[in-house]
Every structure is written in structure tokens, then in C-alpha cells.
Amino acid sequence: YSTTHQSINFMLFDEVDGGHLCDVGNENLVNVLSQITYSRNLSTFVISHSNIVQAKIPNQITIQLSNNFSYI
């Protein structure tokens, strides 16, 4: 009897800042997420409306809402 365990290298964070972190807190949050992402070779997705968080993340997918439809 044997089993194969495969890991999933995926993290998703929705509104991680919650709108309550200061600028330094947002920067520290992105730094921690970056360290975890690189050290564990993960694909990380962050959903955020914070300009500070957005400015610190190099690769982005932007979703726009127009006439009740979302567009990439």
C-alpha cells in the first residue's frame, strides 16, 4: 500500500490588508508574502484595493468593472 502526496504551490489572499493597515504595515505585509512566495516556490495571488500593496507587487492582473461586467 502506498500513496502519493503532491503539493500545491498556490496561495490566494483576498483583501489581506482589510483596509486597516498603515502604509508601513502594508509594505511589511507585502515583504512577508514575497519572502514566503520565493522561499517555498509558490504562485501567490493577492486581491487588494490598496495602492501601497499594488505598487509593491511586480506582476499584476487588473480586473475592471464596467456596466456590471468584469473585464481583465
Side-chain angles (χ1 to χ4, degrees):
Y1 176 79
S2 67
T3 61
T4 302
H5 297 284
Q6 295 182 352
S7 63
I8 297 173
N9 64 342
F10 176 85
M11 287 194 310
L12 172 68
F13 296 94
D14 186 11
E15 299 296 337
V16 291
D17 61 330
H20 301 291
L21 294 178
C22 64
D23 292 351
V24 173
N26 278 316
E27 289 183 20
N28 289 337
L29 173 68
V30 172
N31 289 338
V32 168
L33 292 178
S34 294
Q35 289 172 1
I36 293 169
T37 296
Y38 291 117
S39 68
R40 298 183 183 181
N41 194 30
L42 298 172
S43 295
T44 303
F45 295 84
V46 177
I47 299 169
S48 177
H49 297 281
S50 166
N51 291 334
I52 304 282
V53 172
Q54 291 174 12
K56 299 281 286 177
I57 296 177
N59 300 316
Q60 300 182 22
I61 298 171
T62 302
I63 309 295
Q64 296 288 330
L65 181 64
S66 178
N67 298 323
N68 293 324
F69 288 97
S70 297
Y71 299 92
I72 295 177

